[in-house]
Amino acid sequence: MDLKTLHSISYGLYLITSKYGERINGQIANTVFQISNDPPTIAISINKQNLTNEFIKNSRMFAVSILAEETPLPLIGQFGFKSGRDMDKFADVNYKTTTHGLPYLEDEAIAYIEAKLVQDVDAGTHTIFIGEIIGAEVLRKGNPMTYAYYHQVKKGSTPPSAPTYIKSERRSEMGDKYVCTFCGYEYDPEAGDPENNIAPGTAFENLPDDWVCPVCGADKDAFEKIA
């Protein structure tokens, strides 16, 4: 069975947010889709271990920020590879709140949707949350970031908690792959790091000493060879 066939399914890249009491939290997700139009309803998929899952279950509400292609990797890393149990993900991030107090990104989102939970479905490692849309706004013109764009153009990676995660092969044609032990970013020598002027075909050993993880800023010493 070749699970790479799943890479042919289309996805986007979104920030899912919720709140619990006075606390707010959010995470990156790629599974958001409309399932009906009367009433307008969407569904999202969130890992059961994530704090956002807990917040949605308690508040019965969630919001979706639809990310633009220009969204920087460090911001995606902050919300996609770090835990709200360890930090305030919204510290130093520009955001606004919906009428019900749910945060959405002010600078990186091209639109947001607010929904009230009407049903949740157990899906193994994840919970599918179905919500009726109670608020939505287009914030600016722009292209929404697709999952393909995130991987192919921005060279982003997928955390193990994502529903679409597939363990990477140890090697590419250009040499060994390395993973950041802080955020899970995988350096693939075949892809390089074009956003930081690292050409495709550059082996990890040949990266400059001052090169850092493009997602979380960790030094090269924080990377381990993928076994």
Side-chain angles (χ1 to χ4, degrees), residues 11-150:
Y11 297 93
L13 209 65
Y14 313 93
L15 176 66
I16 309 298
T17 59
S18 191
K19 64 180 296 186
Y20 184 28
E22 297 301 317
R23 294 182 63 192
I24 58 175
N25 193 60
Q27 67 160 81
I28 297 297
N30 61 11
T31 308
V32 177
F33 54 97
Q34 182 179 353
I35 58 175
S36 68
N37 64 353
D38 187 18
T41 306
I42 59 173
I44 62 175
S45 179
I46 304 293
N47 191 286
K48 292 178 181 177
Q49 303 300 317
N50 292 357
L51 185 63
T52 304
N53 187 303
E54 177 183 327
F55 279 23
I56 295 173
K57 284 187 174 179
N58 281 283
S59 69
R60 312 294 294 178
M61 301 191 71
F62 62 87
V64 179
S65 294
I66 301 172
L67 301 180
E69 288 181 341
E70 298 80 18
T71 302
L73 276 179
L75 185 138
I76 295 173
Q78 179 160 323
F79 284 98
F81 293 90
K82 298 180 181 181
S83 173
R85 294 185 173 89
D86 303 324
M87 62 177 293
D88 177 6
K89 293 185 182 182
F90 283 93
D92 303 320
V93 173
N94 290 329
Y95 70 92
K96 292 184 178 180
T97 57
T98 66
T99 55
H100 292 86
L102 305 184
Y104 63 90
L105 295 179
E106 182 176 7
D107 298 328
E108 292 80 14
I110 61 174
Y112 79 85
I113 300 170
E114 183 180 28
K116 65 176 182 180
L117 188 64
V118 295
Q119 186 179 354
D120 58 87
V121 180
D122 189 316
T125 57
H126 287 64
T127 304
I128 299 172
F129 293 110
I130 300 173
E132 180 181 338
I133 296 175
I134 57 174
E137 182 180 353
V138 175
L139 302 172
R140 63 183 175 90
K141 293 182 179 180
N143 294 323
M145 189 186 303
T146 65
Y147 207 45
Y149 186 93
Y150 169 66

